[in-house]
Amino acid sequence: MIRIAHAALSFIHFHPEWAFGVMFAVSFSESFAFLSFAVPGTTIIIAAGMLIPSGILPVWPALIGAILGATLGDSISYWLGRHFGPALMTWWPFSRHPELFIKGRRFFERYGRASVFVGRFFGPFRAVVPLTAGILKMPQGPFLIANVASAVIWAPVLLFGGWFATTVVG
């Protein structure tokens, strides 16, 4: 995973014109149920934010890409859950780690619709809750509102967290 993060940051550093696309892909991967376990998206987004103060990473393309990628990743996970239901539990990673879905379901049952918003901020639940929401047939309207609202907060928190770490702490 460290290699993936290093490669992504290296690419961003030398190709800042790809900021939108890279941040979109990274946040999509971090939010999509079947990729989130293989891509260190949070680390990459925070580290990318550290490139903002020096002017290497343009803020707006990176921020918009991260928000849209996160929104789409959750939306597709939700759609898959809604259309394929419990059959998804036979797919990787759930076939090898059924506890992921069990924990996601408990989280969803405990917090209801708010779990989609809250889950975005907790790594283990970030990609599982939207899938669970779809499987449990959460209405699309409330899902979309929670999904977009959480992405609009989550992406800047991570990017500007890296920026803050560089300018204030570093």
Side-chain angles (χ1 to χ4, degrees):
M1 286 228 213
I2 291 173
R3 284 187 207 154
I4 294 170
H6 182 42
L9 291 168
S10 217
F11 185 83
I12 292 167
H13 187 270
F14 292 108
H15 303 284
E17 67 275 10
W18 283 87
F20 175 88
V22 172
M23 289 295 97
F24 179 91
V26 167
S27 64
F28 175 86
S29 298
E30 179 72 8
S31 302
F32 182 60
F34 300 97
L35 292 176
S36 66
F37 306 103
V39 177
T42 299
T43 302
I44 294 170
I45 295 169
I46 292 170
M50 298 172 98
L51 301 174
I52 294 172
S54 64
I56 294 170
L57 182 69
V59 176
W60 288 108
L63 185 58
I64 293 168
I67 291 168
L68 293 177
T71 301
L72 187 63
D74 273 9
S75 294
I76 292 174
S77 293
Y78 170 82
W79 182 86
L80 287 170
R82 195 151 172 94
H83 286 83
F84 294 102
L88 293 173
M89 297 309 101
T90 62
W91 298 10
W92 181 89
F94 305 106
S95 60
R96 299 193 89 198
H97 304 284
E99 72 279 0
L100 293 171
F101 176 70
I102 293 167
K103 289 178 183 178
R105 185 178 182 127
R106 283 188 195 139
F107 189 81
F108 186 83
E109 288 171 345
R110 181 172 182 186
Y111 297 104
R113 293 178 176 179
S115 66
V116 174
F117 182 90
V118 174
R120 165 110 44 215
F121 299 91
F122 295 97
F125 298 109
R126 184 173 301 113
V128 176
V129 169
L131 188 73
T132 304
I135 290 171
L136 297 178
K137 306 292 187 202
M138 178 180 178
Q140 292 177 8
F143 172 81
L144 187 59
I145 291 168
N147 179 19
V148 171
S150 65
V152 165
I153 295 170
W154 175 80
V157 164
L158 294 183
L159 271 174
F160 296 137
W163 184 342
F164 178 78
T166 300
T167 57
V168 177
V169 179

